[in-house]
Amino acid sequence: MASLNFIFNLLLVAVFTAQFEISRSSKAYVVYMGSKTPQEQPDHILAQNQEILASVHGGSLEQAQKSHLYSYRHGFKGFAAILTDHQASQIAKMSGVVSVFPNLKRKLHTTHSWDFMGLIGEETMEIPGHSTKNQVNVIIGFIDTGIWPESPSFSDDDMPPVPARWKGQCQSGEAFNSSSCNRKVIGARYYMSGYEIEEEDSSNVVSYRSPRDSAGHGSHTASIAAGRYVRDMNYKGLATGGARGGAPMARISVYKTCWDSGCYDVDLLAAFDDAIRDGVHIISLSLGPDSPQGDYFNDAISIGSFHAAMHGVLVVSSVGNEGNQGSATNVAPWMVTVAAGSTDRDFASDITLGNAANISGESLSLFEMNISATIISASDVNAGYFTPYQSSFCLDSSLNSTVARGKVLVCRHAESSSESKVEKSRVVKEAGGIGMILIDEADQQVAIPFIIPAAIVGQKTGNKILSYISDTRHPTAKISSAKTVLGSQLAPRIAAFSSKGPNSLTPEVLKPDVAAPGLNILAAWSPAAMRMHFNVLSGTSMACPHVTGIAALIKAVNPSWSPAAIKSAIMTTATVLDKNRRPITVDPIGKRGNAFDYGSGFINPTKVLDPGLIYDVQPIDYKSFLCSLGYDEKSMRLVTRDNSTCNQTSTSTTSFNLNYPSITVPNLKDEFSVIRTVTNVGKPRTIYKAIVSNPVGVNVTVVPNRLIFTGYGQKIKFSVKFRVSAPSKGYVFGVLSWRSRNARVSSPLVVRVAGSSAGLMR
């Protein structure tokens, strides 16, 4: 009997161990099942999802419900659930399933800018010659960290009632209830199931289990795009003046999916699903995956934005902050992808050396030194087991306080480092230092709110300061508090951190699409994050909502335009020249920019409502594009849930012939032609002439080279032939412009001759 009890106990241990192992090996997965048909009701989709889950849980509906996280049943079909790898593999083989992928984390891509770009007005943001008052009927959805609804940027004073077509809701939660919404912020939801599954200690760090913004990022991006006019916006006295968003009378709906450590796929897809159902016109998301990006239908943002486009919703996204060639993300052709540039406003601190040299460095620090002090390289202040090289980066505990006390330290910040620059100023302060000069090896020119007198300089300037220190017996320095500087540099410039093309997933689609201000942008903030209502941030996160705001103005004037038409107007009117009419340059070394840096160019809000011609794309065109990439008929029908076919015509069309406002040929052999179609949205009777700037070593011919329009909405097709005319190295760049008496419609041409190296040329 004892032996039987022993065996029974062993069996119990084995069972519990097995259950523990299964539990431990389980994780959140997305099960994506393509479009929903008009006949499929949300409740039926939910029941279907639970049946699938039950089938991999031994028929247990109870276990299925326990593992279920979300059902996607409005804009598209699918669900999220806690599964083992084996269960995920089983579901992936089931009929009707397009893809199954793990719950990956996405990163946030973290005013004077509108004046800089030429928009006028406090509330209506009028573009000369057009009325944008209809923006009160445009609804923008922000997928981000939530919102601080009490900010003056989100006041609903003098705003009309919420549009009758709105189907969204104001979800209650911690420090947030239905009265937190108003006629400006008309919707608010939050999602955290995917976050809580992945973050074991989430209960200790989550602030506000509600749409309320505890991080600041969501409030910042929403106010850039659609914030109301604020008369005296400033950052601790810097950059004081009136500020507003691009479409200050447009409505806002927030979808809080991003928490302290990032944004998870299962939550993102739930937000997309709800936003499409709620009735937003535009979705703005300043976040994305690490590069290189995965397949379109194994990527939550690509999936969500595809179905948004199928429902007529424009998606605007950031390109990423990795800064190197080929690092562009959010590369799907059905979304607008935005790079970051500068304005002509900087935040600077003056550094005065003992030899009377005056140097300007980036800073948001309001602390200053009253008198000069000894300046020393942090490499000479190493403590304990730290080497001089390690201490040069002012790592925590790396500095000798006896040597550092009372001095200005010169520290380094590595080009690929993720360390906090503010933290370095804390390390210097705790070691007794009274000031810091930080050499940013990436020279990103991002202003930082240091906690002591401090400023950032680039590598070249930093080396001059170090030379002064080594060549001088008693070197000294004095650092002033930050000040606002207008018109001090060439602008716009492309920021050093802004991710760049080529598109690593589909090289024949140029990414980014366009550039906008993203360097040192002042906008609304959450006082829960820091005790202030406005803050200065940099990143493609800030560039994205600038384009979102402009898209809202276009939608206000042209409510029937498709997402692709709005995108085309933004791209073809962009400029590749700075305010001095010289080619836009790229930080940090000031090289001449190209289409991999800024796409079609820097956004030009004063031109977007008069594009003349547009390159329009319908949902069926994206289906043909997918066919050309190798999706077979079965896969296509799973995604679209219609009778889509990948016939010989659609596959032979190739991805080159997607009616995109830019043209990229990444493997030109002798000669190659692409087809484009333009639609007249200018004066009914207009003649356009093709003007081509040829890429180096490539001859470009346009047929026909004159387009004669006799009516509004008329479409004309043309071909662009590329022929190798001379040897070239790497990618080369040109421009095709259609010019009339009143309009200029420009498209970048990007070509790489077969067999050439991957380098870049102008």
Side-chain angles (χ1 to χ4, degrees), residues 170-194:
C170 194
Q171 185 179 3
S172 296
E174 184 182 355
F176 200 98
N177 54 44
S178 58
S179 64
S180 299
C181 293
N182 56 24
R183 289 169 298 181
K184 176 66 176 178
V185 181
I186 65 173
R189 300 175 186 263
Y190 72 103
Y191 312 81
M192 59 188 308
S193 296

PDB file of all heavy atoms in Angstrom, residues 170-194:
ATOM      1  N   CYS A 170     -15.508  56.366 -24.401  1.00  0.00           N
ATOM      2  CA  CYS A 170     -14.557  56.921 -23.435  1.00  0.00           C
ATOM      3  C   CYS A 170     -14.483  55.926 -22.291  1.00  0.00           C
ATOM      4  O   CYS A 170     -15.371  55.858 -21.438  1.00  0.00           O
ATOM      5  CB  CYS A 170     -15.036  58.283 -22.960  1.00  0.00           C
ATOM      6  SG  CYS A 170     -13.774  59.230 -22.089  1.00  0.00           S
ATOM      7  N   GLN A 171     -13.432  55.111 -22.286  1.00  0.00           N
ATOM      8  CA  GLN A 171     -13.317  53.993 -21.347  1.00  0.00           C
ATOM      9  C   GLN A 171     -12.818  54.480 -19.987  1.00  0.00           C
ATOM     10  O   GLN A 171     -11.795  55.152 -19.888  1.00  0.00           O
ATOM     11  CB  GLN A 171     -12.373  52.945 -21.921  1.00  0.00           C
ATOM     12  CG  GLN A 171     -12.244  51.679 -21.099  1.00  0.00           C
ATOM     13  CD  GLN A 171     -11.292  50.684 -21.758  1.00  0.00           C
ATOM     14  OE1 GLN A 171     -10.690  50.965 -22.787  1.00  0.00           O
ATOM     15  NE2 GLN A 171     -11.153  49.519 -21.153  1.00  0.00           N
ATOM     16  N   SER A 172     -13.546  54.129 -18.948  1.00  0.00           N
ATOM     17  CA  SER A 172     -13.158  54.540 -17.597  1.00  0.00           C
ATOM     18  C   SER A 172     -12.015  53.674 -17.080  1.00  0.00           C
ATOM     19  O   SER A 172     -11.800  52.553 -17.531  1.00  0.00           O
ATOM     20  CB  SER A 172     -14.350  54.439 -16.647  1.00  0.00           C
ATOM     21  OG  SER A 172     -15.372  55.336 -17.038  1.00  0.00           O
ATOM     22  N   GLY A 173     -11.302  54.202 -16.120  1.00  0.00           N
ATOM     23  CA  GLY A 173     -10.199  53.488 -15.489  1.00  0.00           C
ATOM     24  C   GLY A 173      -9.613  54.358 -14.399  1.00  0.00           C
ATOM     25  O   GLY A 173     -10.219  55.345 -13.967  1.00  0.00           O
ATOM     26  N   GLU A 174      -8.419  54.022 -13.976  1.00  0.00           N
ATOM     27  CA  GLU A 174      -7.766  54.747 -12.896  1.00  0.00           C
ATOM     28  C   GLU A 174      -7.572  56.220 -13.267  1.00  0.00           C
ATOM     29  O   GLU A 174      -6.948  56.546 -14.273  1.00  0.00           O
ATOM     30  CB  GLU A 174      -6.409  54.101 -12.588  1.00  0.00           C
ATOM     31  CG  GLU A 174      -5.680  54.719 -11.419  1.00  0.00           C
ATOM     32  CD  GLU A 174      -4.323  54.070 -11.181  1.00  0.00           C
ATOM     33  OE1 GLU A 174      -3.998  53.081 -11.875  1.00  0.00           O
ATOM     34  OE2 GLU A 174      -3.602  54.554 -10.297  1.00  0.00           O
ATOM     35  N   ALA A 175      -8.117  57.129 -12.449  1.00  0.00           N
ATOM     36  CA  ALA A 175      -7.998  58.584 -12.642  1.00  0.00           C
ATOM     37  C   ALA A 175      -8.525  59.035 -14.005  1.00  0.00           C
ATOM     38  O   ALA A 175      -8.064  60.032 -14.563  1.00  0.00           O
ATOM     39  CB  ALA A 175      -6.541  59.032 -12.463  1.00  0.00           C
ATOM     40  N   PHE A 176      -9.497  58.308 -14.525  1.00  0.00           N
ATOM     41  CA  PHE A 176     -10.043  58.638 -15.848  1.00  0.00           C
ATOM     42  C   PHE A 176     -11.465  58.091 -15.917  1.00  0.00           C
ATOM     43  O   PHE A 176     -11.691  56.905 -15.650  1.00  0.00           O
ATOM     44  CB  PHE A 176      -9.187  57.997 -16.951  1.00  0.00           C
ATOM     45  CG  PHE A 176      -9.335  58.622 -18.310  1.00  0.00           C
ATOM     46  CD1 PHE A 176      -8.416  59.554 -18.760  1.00  0.00           C
ATOM     47  CD2 PHE A 176     -10.386  58.279 -19.144  1.00  0.00           C
ATOM     48  CE1 PHE A 176      -8.533  60.126 -20.016  1.00  0.00           C
ATOM     49  CE2 PHE A 176     -10.520  58.842 -20.394  1.00  0.00           C
ATOM     50  CZ  PHE A 176      -9.586  59.772 -20.840  1.00  0.00           C
ATOM     51  N   ASN A 177     -12.425  58.942 -16.269  1.00  0.00           N
ATOM     52  CA  ASN A 177     -13.799  58.485 -16.442  1.00  0.00           C
ATOM     53  C   ASN A 177     -14.411  59.135 -17.668  1.00  0.00           C
ATOM     54  O   ASN A 177     -13.718  59.843 -18.412  1.00  0.00           O
ATOM     55  CB  ASN A 177     -14.635  58.760 -15.179  1.00  0.00           C
ATOM     56  CG  ASN A 177     -14.564  60.222 -14.766  1.00  0.00           C
ATOM     57  OD1 ASN A 177     -14.667  61.116 -15.596  1.00  0.00           O
ATOM     58  ND2 ASN A 177     -14.378  60.453 -13.468  1.00  0.00           N
ATOM     59  N   SER A 178     -15.691  58.902 -17.888  1.00  0.00           N
ATOM     60  CA  SER A 178     -16.323  59.379 -19.121  1.00  0.00           C
ATOM     61  C   SER A 178     -16.277  60.891 -19.238  1.00  0.00           C
ATOM     62  O   SER A 178     -16.236  61.440 -20.353  1.00  0.00           O
ATOM     63  CB  SER A 178     -17.773  58.893 -19.189  1.00  0.00           C
ATOM     64  OG  SER A 178     -18.504  59.347 -18.060  1.00  0.00           O
ATOM     65  N   SER A 179     -16.239  61.597 -18.117  1.00  0.00           N
ATOM     66  CA  SER A 179     -16.173  63.061 -18.175  1.00  0.00           C
ATOM     67  C   SER A 179     -14.775  63.564 -18.515  1.00  0.00           C
ATOM     68  O   SER A 179     -14.584  64.763 -18.747  1.00  0.00           O
ATOM     69  CB  SER A 179     -16.630  63.660 -16.840  1.00  0.00           C
ATOM     70  OG  SER A 179     -15.754  63.287 -15.790  1.00  0.00           O
ATOM     71  N   SER A 180     -13.782  62.660 -18.543  1.00  0.00           N
ATOM     72  CA  SER A 180     -12.432  63.061 -18.940  1.00  0.00           C
ATOM     73  C   SER A 180     -12.372  63.377 -20.429  1.00  0.00           C
ATOM     74  O   SER A 180     -11.487  64.109 -20.879  1.00  0.00           O
ATOM     75  CB  SER A 180     -11.421  61.956 -18.608  1.00  0.00           C
ATOM     76  OG  SER A 180     -11.380  61.694 -17.226  1.00  0.00           O
ATOM     77  N   CYS A 181     -13.285  62.802 -21.200  1.00  0.00           N
ATOM     78  CA  CYS A 181     -13.380  63.138 -22.615  1.00  0.00           C
ATOM     79  C   CYS A 181     -14.216  64.407 -22.772  1.00  0.00           C
ATOM     80  O   CYS A 181     -14.938  64.822 -21.863  1.00  0.00           O
ATOM     81  CB  CYS A 181     -14.010  61.987 -23.407  1.00  0.00           C
ATOM     82  SG  CYS A 181     -12.976  60.496 -23.463  1.00  0.00           S
ATOM     83  N   ASN A 182     -14.115  65.026 -23.929  1.00  0.00           N
ATOM     84  CA  ASN A 182     -14.875  66.239 -24.208  1.00  0.00           C
ATOM     85  C   ASN A 182     -15.124  66.331 -25.705  1.00  0.00           C
ATOM     86  O   ASN A 182     -15.031  65.328 -26.407  1.00  0.00           O
ATOM     87  CB  ASN A 182     -14.130  67.474 -23.671  1.00  0.00           C
ATOM     88  CG  ASN A 182     -12.706  67.593 -24.221  1.00  0.00           C
ATOM     89  OD1 ASN A 182     -12.387  67.071 -25.296  1.00  0.00           O
ATOM     90  ND2 ASN A 182     -11.851  68.280 -23.486  1.00  0.00           N
ATOM     91  N   ARG A 183     -15.412  67.503 -26.194  1.00  0.00           N
ATOM     92  CA  ARG A 183     -15.684  67.645 -27.631  1.00  0.00           C
ATOM     93  C   ARG A 183     -14.395  67.676 -28.460  1.00  0.00           C
ATOM     94  O   ARG A 183     -14.450  67.643 -29.682  1.00  0.00           O
ATOM     95  CB  ARG A 183     -16.510  68.915 -27.877  1.00  0.00           C
ATOM     96  CG  ARG A 183     -17.952  68.799 -27.388  1.00  0.00           C
ATOM     97  CD  ARG A 183     -18.651  70.134 -27.408  1.00  0.00           C
ATOM     98  NE  ARG A 183     -18.008  71.082 -26.505  1.00  0.00           N
ATOM     99  CZ  ARG A 183     -18.416  72.334 -26.310  1.00  0.00           C
ATOM    100  NH1 ARG A 183     -19.469  72.791 -26.968  1.00  0.00           N
ATOM    101  NH2 ARG A 183     -17.782  73.128 -25.466  1.00  0.00           N
ATOM    102  N   LYS A 184     -13.255  67.729 -27.801  1.00  0.00           N
ATOM    103  CA  LYS A 184     -11.957  67.639 -28.484  1.00  0.00           C
ATOM    104  C   LYS A 184     -11.435  66.201 -28.422  1.00  0.00           C
ATOM    105  O   LYS A 184     -11.168  65.584 -29.452  1.00  0.00           O
ATOM    106  CB  LYS A 184     -10.957  68.597 -27.826  1.00  0.00           C
ATOM    107  CG  LYS A 184      -9.539  68.522 -28.394  1.00  0.00           C
ATOM    108  CD  LYS A 184      -9.487  68.986 -29.835  1.00  0.00           C
ATOM    109  CE  LYS A 184      -8.058  69.003 -30.349  1.00  0.00           C
ATOM    110  NZ  LYS A 184      -7.997  69.401 -31.765  1.00  0.00           N
ATOM    111  N   VAL A 185     -11.272  65.686 -27.201  1.00  0.00           N
ATOM    112  CA  VAL A 185     -10.878  64.287 -27.007  1.00  0.00           C
ATOM    113  C   VAL A 185     -12.169  63.480 -26.927  1.00  0.00           C
ATOM    114  O   VAL A 185     -12.771  63.361 -25.866  1.00  0.00           O
ATOM    115  CB  VAL A 185     -10.031  64.117 -25.740  1.00  0.00           C
ATOM    116  CG1 VAL A 185      -9.603  62.661 -25.576  1.00  0.00           C
ATOM    117  CG2 VAL A 185      -8.805  65.024 -25.774  1.00  0.00           C
ATOM    118  N   ILE A 186     -12.595  62.932 -28.053  1.00  0.00           N
ATOM    119  CA  ILE A 186     -13.932  62.324 -28.118  1.00  0.00           C
ATOM    120  C   ILE A 186     -13.920  60.821 -27.850  1.00  0.00           C
ATOM    121  O   ILE A 186     -14.981  60.215 -27.718  1.00  0.00           O
ATOM    122  CB  ILE A 186     -14.607  62.611 -29.476  1.00  0.00           C
ATOM    123  CG1 ILE A 186     -13.840  61.952 -30.624  1.00  0.00           C
ATOM    124  CG2 ILE A 186     -14.736  64.110 -29.700  1.00  0.00           C
ATOM    125  CD1 ILE A 186     -14.557  62.070 -31.971  1.00  0.00           C
ATOM    126  N   GLY A 187     -12.735  60.219 -27.765  1.00  0.00           N
ATOM    127  CA  GLY A 187     -12.650  58.787 -27.500  1.00  0.00           C
ATOM    128  C   GLY A 187     -11.366  58.444 -26.783  1.00  0.00           C
ATOM    129  O   GLY A 187     -10.340  59.115 -26.968  1.00  0.00           O
ATOM    130  N   ALA A 188     -11.416  57.421 -25.939  1.00  0.00           N
ATOM    131  CA  ALA A 188     -10.213  56.995 -25.217  1.00  0.00           C
ATOM    132  C   ALA A 188     -10.381  55.539 -24.775  1.00  0.00           C
ATOM    133  O   ALA A 188     -11.388  55.184 -24.169  1.00  0.00           O
ATOM    134  CB  ALA A 188      -9.974  57.890 -24.000  1.00  0.00           C
ATOM    135  N   ARG A 189      -9.406  54.715 -25.108  1.00  0.00           N
ATOM    136  CA  ARG A 189      -9.404  53.306 -24.704  1.00  0.00           C
ATOM    137  C   ARG A 189      -7.999  52.929 -24.257  1.00  0.00           C
ATOM    138  O   ARG A 189      -7.022  53.600 -24.621  1.00  0.00           O
ATOM    139  CB  ARG A 189      -9.806  52.396 -25.875  1.00  0.00           C
ATOM    140  CG  ARG A 189     -11.192  52.639 -26.473  1.00  0.00           C
ATOM    141  CD  ARG A 189     -11.370  51.739 -27.692  1.00  0.00           C
ATOM    142  NE  ARG A 189     -12.591  51.950 -28.444  1.00  0.00           N
ATOM    143  CZ  ARG A 189     -13.700  51.227 -28.306  1.00  0.00           C
ATOM    144  NH1 ARG A 189     -13.738  50.252 -27.419  1.00  0.00           N
ATOM    145  NH2 ARG A 189     -14.760  51.467 -29.055  1.00  0.00           N
ATOM    146  N   TYR A 190      -7.900  51.837 -23.513  1.00  0.00           N
ATOM    147  CA  TYR A 190      -6.558  51.354 -23.146  1.00  0.00           C
ATOM    148  C   TYR A 190      -6.508  49.832 -23.242  1.00  0.00           C
ATOM    149  O   TYR A 190      -7.518  49.140 -23.122  1.00  0.00           O
ATOM    150  CB  TYR A 190      -6.152  51.830 -21.745  1.00  0.00           C
ATOM    151  CG  TYR A 190      -6.862  51.192 -20.580  1.00  0.00           C
ATOM    152  CD1 TYR A 190      -6.242  50.209 -19.814  1.00  0.00           C
ATOM    153  CD2 TYR A 190      -8.150  51.589 -20.215  1.00  0.00           C
ATOM    154  CE1 TYR A 190      -6.880  49.629 -18.722  1.00  0.00           C
ATOM    155  CE2 TYR A 190      -8.794  51.024 -19.117  1.00  0.00           C
ATOM    156  CZ  TYR A 190      -8.156  50.045 -18.382  1.00  0.00           C
ATOM    157  OH  TYR A 190      -8.785  49.479 -17.304  1.00  0.00           O
ATOM    158  N   TYR A 191      -5.285  49.317 -23.484  1.00  0.00           N
ATOM    159  CA  TYR A 191      -5.042  47.893 -23.744  1.00  0.00           C
ATOM    160  C   TYR A 191      -3.756  47.495 -23.031  1.00  0.00           C
ATOM    161  O   TYR A 191      -2.719  48.121 -23.235  1.00  0.00           O
ATOM    162  CB  TYR A 191      -4.882  47.636 -25.241  1.00  0.00           C
ATOM    163  CG  TYR A 191      -5.959  48.272 -26.089  1.00  0.00           C
ATOM    164  CD1 TYR A 191      -5.883  49.630 -26.430  1.00  0.00           C
ATOM    165  CD2 TYR A 191      -7.038  47.539 -26.548  1.00  0.00           C
ATOM    166  CE1 TYR A 191      -6.873  50.229 -27.189  1.00  0.00           C
ATOM    167  CE2 TYR A 191      -8.030  48.130 -27.319  1.00  0.00           C
ATOM    168  CZ  TYR A 191      -7.944  49.480 -27.633  1.00  0.00           C
ATOM    169  OH  TYR A 191      -8.925  50.068 -28.384  1.00  0.00           O
ATOM    170  N   MET A 192      -3.806  46.436 -22.240  1.00  0.00           N
ATOM    171  CA  MET A 192      -2.592  46.044 -21.534  1.00  0.00           C
ATOM    172  C   MET A 192      -2.450  44.539 -21.349  1.00  0.00           C
ATOM    173  O   MET A 192      -1.518  44.084 -20.678  1.00  0.00           O
ATOM    174  CB  MET A 192      -2.507  46.753 -20.184  1.00  0.00           C
ATOM    175  CG  MET A 192      -3.646  46.501 -19.238  1.00  0.00           C
ATOM    176  SD  MET A 192      -3.565  47.574 -17.751  1.00  0.00           S
ATOM    177  CE  MET A 192      -1.902  47.285 -17.187  1.00  0.00           C
ATOM    178  N   SER A 193      -3.313  43.747 -21.947  1.00  0.00           N
ATOM    179  CA  SER A 193      -3.215  42.290 -21.772  1.00  0.00           C
ATOM    180  C   SER A 193      -1.882  41.754 -22.273  1.00  0.00           C
ATOM    181  O   SER A 193      -1.222  40.948 -21.611  1.00  0.00           O
ATOM    182  CB  SER A 193      -4.370  41.587 -22.497  1.00  0.00           C
ATOM    183  OG  SER A 193      -5.610  41.941 -21.927  1.00  0.00           O
ATOM    184  N   GLY A 194      -1.471  42.197 -23.460  1.00  0.00           N
ATOM    185  CA  GLY A 194      -0.201  41.739 -24.023  1.00  0.00           C
ATOM    186  C   GLY A 194       0.982  42.200 -23.209  1.00  0.00           C
ATOM    187  O   GLY A 194       1.959  41.470 -23.034  1.00  0.00           O
TER     188      GLY A 194
END
